[in-house]
Amino acid sequence: MSAETADAPPLPIPVTGWGRTAPSAARLVRPRTHEEAAAAVRGSGARGSIPRGLGRAYGDAAQNAGGAVLDMTGLDRIRRIDAETGVVVCDAGVSLHRLMEVLLPLGWFVPVTPGTRQVTVGGAIGADIHGKNHHVSGSFSRHVLSLELLTANGEVRTARPGTDLFDATAGGMGLTGVILSAELRMHRVETSLMSVDTERAADLDDLMARLTATDHRYRYSVAWIDLLARGAATGRAVLTRGEHAPLDALPPRAARRPLEFRPRQLPSAPGLAGLVPDGLLGRTSVALFNEFWYRRAPRSRTGELQRLPAFFHPLDGIPHWNRIYGRGGFVQYQFVVGYGQEDALRRIVRRIAHHGFPSFLAVLKRFGDGDPGWLSFPVPGWTLALDIPAGLPGLGALLDALDEDVAGAGGRVYLAKDSRLRPELLAAMYPRLDRFRALRAELDPRGVFVSDLSRRLSL
């Protein structure tokens, strides 16, 4: 996918999310300055526009059929760094990868990172991303001190935490305006290594008990869960928890360059989608992988030193890893149910295991306090995310039934990963939806900012 610059008339091209399930054609415009961004919004036409970062939203949140998509990666300047306080001012198109490259040598790390560092700051705010440390640090927006927002009327407004404009924009999926820049607070670290503890859990109840009893001891925790295991092994998992390693934990060789950041990457394979035959990721092959992954994990290991990319972003080392699912793409489904709704989680895990849909990227985490964004996803509780190849017979019906289960338990699905939720469930999942719609109507009465997601869900 390529973008035209703002001074050239772009032609519609197919645009899709990371799941590659529902492409739509849009004019892709790549502004390089704030002025070009404003001009692009003014010229977006009857079908409106939506900002887009590095394209890691799984569904249709950064697509706009028949309209304009603003590729914000051209606004990529880090404007100011306070090395003493860890406060950074940067453009919205700066990636988390770039922040790590620049800030780690100074002893600072991004406060929240998802499973990929290939996310822009604007995208991180728009989706209000979370990571393995939500139970300690909350979502990304909690670490934003202010942001500059280009609104539908061409005005650039400063939004700060505690205001309606900020709370609608954090998690607002780009529908309140174009984030141009942000002021962020980083997290102090002594090294670029992680001290990691790993253990196996025999089943879902064992896993939840371990997480509940010990999560408060760790900044980061996540569990890979085997969603094909059944019977007594239903929900068996590998639990991984970690802390930023202190300097005195490093061996002498690593201690000479404690803040080195050198992510490794496998050779690119851009034609991989065409090489993966239909059915390769079937139940048998994924079951074999899951069995291997569970058995190779240590029953209990503490204090292993891992590099940051290995702990946080292992899939970033595989270019185009989303193509392994083949031409049909995949659905990522992530939901959260509150504490006290463990029976709902057990029921959903058993249901997925019973259907036998292959998923080898399935993770369970605990969320802490909810975040201020009106459409922010995290609430206190259990969140499960899984990838499933799209187009499997019966998959749509299963996910629709899971949506009902989640909503009935007072939970919600993650809009940044959604590609198929029915709109009638949205208000039950997001109780501040009416406030969001009202403010959006006030900010953007002509519907300048619109996406395939917003049309599908009537946002």
Side-chain angles (χ1 to χ4, degrees):
M1 182 178 66
S2 61
E4 302 286 344
T5 56
D7 55 4
L11 298 174
I13 64 170
V15 180
T16 186
W18 192 244
R20 306 172 68 240
T21 55
S24 61
R27 293 177 291 110
L28 205 59
V29 182
R30 191 170 188 260
R32 297 159 297 192
T33 65
H34 293 185
E35 292 75 21
E36 287 187 358
V41 169
R42 288 195 300 270
S44 56
R47 295 286 288 180
S49 61
I50 193 71
R52 179 183 178 96
L54 286 165
R56 293 305 177 103
Y58 285 81
D60 52 4
Q63 300 173 208
N64 182 21
V69 170
L70 308 184
D71 176 352
M72 298 301 293
T73 58
L75 278 75
D76 59 357
R77 290 178 56 194
I78 297 177
R79 298 179 175 270
R80 187 172 71 249
I81 298 173
D82 187 326
E84 295 299 317
T85 64
V87 172
V88 177
V89 178
C90 65
D91 287 345
V94 173
S95 69
L96 300 191
H97 174 86
R98 181 61 179 154
L99 288 178
M100 293 176 197
E101 281 186 323
V102 172
L103 293 168
L104 266 170
L106 303 177
W108 297 98
F109 187 63
V110 294
V112 171
T113 178
T116 175
R117 59 186 179 277
Q118 304 302 333
V119 176
T120 63
V121 167
I125 299 170
D128 204 11
I129 61 171
H130 56 272
K132 300 174 183 178
N133 60 337
H134 188 275
H135 62 292
V136 173
S137 302
S139 65
F140 195 87
S141 66
R142 282 205 213 167
H143 309 273
V144 178
L145 303 178
S146 67
L147 60 87
E148 298 296 311
L149 186 73
L150 172 66
T151 57
N153 64 2
E155 180 185 1
V156 177
R157 297 176 59 177
T158 299
R160 293 187 171 84
T163 65
D164 284 356
L165 184 59
F166 186 94
D167 291 347
T169 300
M173 307 309 297
L175 297 170
T176 61
V178 180
I179 299 170
L180 298 173
S181 64
E183 184 179 17
L184 315 171
R185 179 179 287 114
M186 300 290 113
H187 175 67
R188 171 72 81 179
V189 296
E190 294 183 12
T191 76
S192 60
L193 293 175
M194 301 294 297
S195 176
V196 180
D197 295 352
T198 305
E199 61 189 271
R200 287 192 225 163
D203 56 35
L204 183 60
D205 283 342
D206 183 28
L207 173 61
M208 289 193 291
R210 290 170 187 257
L211 283 166
T212 300
T214 61
D215 243 16
H216 64 281
R217 302 178 193 167
Y218 296 88
R219 178 171 291 273
Y220 304 97
S221 67
V222 65
W224 169 87
I225 185 169
D226 182 358
L227 290 178
L228 288 177
R230 297 185 185 182
T234 299
R236 67 178 181 176
V238 177
L239 177 56
T240 306
R241 294 170 289 193
E243 298 282 354
H244 294 279
L247 185 58
D248 59 13
L250 270 56
R253 184 175 179 180
R256 288 197 291 270
R257 290 188 289 184
L259 292 166
E260 183 179 52
F261 179 62
R262 296 178 61 187
R264 297 185 179 95
Q265 192 172 64
L266 297 176
S268 178
L272 187 59
L275 299 176
V276 177
D278 290 341
L280 177 63
L281 293 179
R283 176 178 170 80
T284 300
S285 58
V286 173
L288 289 171
F289 171 85
N290 286 2
E291 181 70 24
F292 166 76
W293 195 256
Y294 181 76
R295 295 297 176 187
R296 77 181 290 271
R299 293 185 181 276
S300 180
R301 180 175 62 200
T302 60
E304 180 192 13
L305 293 179
Q306 293 184 8
R307 295 185 178 276
L308 288 170
F311 182 77
F312 288 108
H313 316 119
L315 288 176
D316 280 352
I318 308 172
H320 311 291
W321 68 262
N322 58 332
R323 299 186 183 185
I324 197 171
Y325 293 89
R327 290 188 178 91
F330 68 99
V331 174
Q332 168 126 153
Y333 185 71
Q334 183 169 7
F335 68 89
V336 58
V337 293
Y339 297 124
Q341 295 294 333
E342 286 76 13
D343 281 346
L345 178 61
R346 294 184 185 99
R347 187 165 58 248
I348 290 170
V349 169
R350 286 196 301 267
R351 207 167 189 173
I352 296 170
H354 172 75
H355 279 77
F357 290 126
S359 177
F360 64 90
L361 294 175
V363 296
L364 183 73
K365 293 180 290 195
R366 282 165 49 94
F367 281 158
D369 293 340
D371 299 293
W374 292 345
L375 297 187
S376 291
F377 169 64
V379 293
W382 303 94
T383 180
L384 177 65
L386 57 144
D387 293 352
I388 305 176
L392 295 175
L395 177 60
L398 171 64
L399 294 181
D400 285 347
L402 296 188
D403 289 341
E404 297 280 357
D405 234 353
V406 169
R412 59 183 58 164
V413 300
Y414 191 15
L415 297 182
K417 296 183 176 180
D418 176 58
S419 58
R420 26 76 43 214
L421 178 68
R422 302 195 313 277
E424 58 267 25
L425 291 177
L426 194 64
M429 293 181 172
Y430 288 89
R432 292 178 287 186
L433 179 62
D434 285 346
R435 293 182 68 184
F436 177 82
R437 285 172 169 160
L439 183 63
R440 186 176 173 227
E442 178 185 330
L443 287 172
D444 186 9
R446 295 182 295 111
V448 171
F449 298 113
V450 65
S451 66
D452 291 356
L453 173 78
S454 71
R455 291 190 185 96
R456 176 168 57 83
L457 294 178
S458 300
L459 285 171

